[in-house]
C-alpha cells in the first residue's frame, strides 16, 4: 500500500488487547457527517501460545488496515494498569498495532483513555456506558455499540477527528515560531 492509496478523512481506532482488541474505522466526509465503516473485536484464544496469538492479531490488524486504508490510525496509549500481566499483553498488542499502521503508511497517533473520554464524553472519568452512548449519538447508530472494546476503538477515532484540527493548528504555529 502506498500513502497515496490512503483515505485522509478515514480514521481507524484500535483499543489494544491480546484477548480482545477493539477496532473501528470511521469515515469523516465533514466534521459532522461521520459514518462507521466497521466496528468489532479481534479475539485470540487464551489457551493458544503467545507467539501464535500475536501472529493472529497481527494478521487481523494488517487485513483491516489493508481493507479500509485509513489515513490515520489512533491507538490507545498504554498509560497505567494495576495488573502487570494485563499491562504486558496490552503493550504487546499496542506495539503490533503501531507497527502495522506505520508499515502501511498511515499516520499514527496515540491518546490516553482520559483524553479519549474527555473529548468524546466530556469527562475524563466517564464510564464505559457513557462512552458507548456518545459513540452511538455521534455516529447515529440505532443500537448501543457493543462490546465495549469496539465502542472504545470508535471513541479513539472520534477523539482524533475532534482533536486533529487543533493539533494541526498548534503544529503550524510551532513551526512558524521555530523559523
Amino acid at each position: 500500500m502506498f500513502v497515496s492509496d490512503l483515505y485522509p478523512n478515514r480514521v481507524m481506532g484500535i483499543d489494544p488487547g491480546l484477548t480482545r482488541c477493539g477496532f473501528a474505522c470511521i469515515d469523516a466526509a465533514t466534521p459532522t457527517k461521520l459514518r462507521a465503516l466497521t466496528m468489532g473485536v479481534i479475539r485470540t484464544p487464551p489457551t493458544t501460545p503467545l507467539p501464535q496469538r500475536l501472529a493472529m492479531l497481527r494478521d487481523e490488524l494488517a487485513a483491516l488496515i489493508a481493507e479500509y486504508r485509513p489515513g490515520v490510525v489512533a491507538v490507545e496509549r498504554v498509560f497505567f494498569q494495576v495488573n502487570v500481566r494485563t499491562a504486558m499483553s496490552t503493550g504487546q498488542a499496542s506495539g503490533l498495532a503501531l507497527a502495522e499502521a506505520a508499515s502501511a503508511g498511515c499516520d499514527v497517533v496515540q491518546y490516553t483513555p482520559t483524553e479519549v473520554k474527555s473529548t468524546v464524553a466530556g469527562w475524563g472519568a466517564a464510564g464505559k456506558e457513557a462512552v458507548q452512548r456518545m459513540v452511538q449519538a455521534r455516529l447515529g447508530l440505532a443500537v448501543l455499540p457493543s462490546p465495549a472494546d469496539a465502542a472504545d476503538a470508535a471513541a479513539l477515532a472520534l477523539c482524533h477527528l475532534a482533536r486533529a484540527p487543533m493539533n494541526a493548528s498548534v503544529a503550524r504555529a510551532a513551526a512558524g515560531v521555530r523559523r
Side-chain angles (χ1 to χ4, degrees):
M1 174 183 327
F2 297 99
V3 173
S4 62
D5 294 334
L6 302 175
Y7 292 97
N9 293 329
R10 187 170 288 174
V11 179
M12 180 170 284
I14 298 176
D15 180 28
L18 189 55
T19 302
R20 292 180 326 275
C21 180
F23 65 88
C25 192
I26 297 174
D27 203 37
T30 69
T32 57
K33 190 175 179 189
L34 305 172
R35 182 170 61 109
L37 301 174
T38 188
M39 190 181 311
V41 174
I42 301 166
R43 297 178 193 277
T44 64
T47 55
T48 302
L50 177 63
Q52 285 76 18
R53 291 177 77 189
L54 290 170
M56 292 163 69
L57 180 58
R58 186 196 63 79
D59 291 347
E60 291 289 334
L61 290 171
L64 284 166
I65 292 169
E67 180 178 352
Y68 292 99
R69 301 185 345 247
V72 179
V73 175
V75 180
E76 183 176 289
R77 182 182 305 274
V78 180
F79 193 65
F80 173 78
Q81 292 197 349
V82 175
N83 184 326
V84 174
R85 190 170 167 182
T86 302
M88 289 293 293
S89 64
T90 301
Q92 291 166 324
S94 178
L96 283 175
L98 296 169
E100 281 303 317
S103 291
C106 303
D107 288 337
V108 183
V109 295
Q110 291 184 282
Y111 297 102
T112 66
T114 302
E115 289 174 314
V116 174
K117 292 174 185 180
S118 179
T119 302
V120 173
W123 182 44
K128 292 278 187 193
E129 187 177 341
V131 172
Q132 287 173 290
R133 291 203 182 284
M134 289 306 294
V135 167
Q136 179 184 21
R138 287 287 318 222
L139 295 175
L141 303 174
V143 297
L144 203 63
S146 182
D149 304 286
D152 288 348
L156 276 152
L158 290 170
C159 175
H160 179 71
L161 287 165
R163 295 177 75 138
M166 177 60 85
N167 292 345
S169 293
V170 169
R172 282 192 303 276
V177 170
R178 281 183 251 164
R179 291 184 192 181

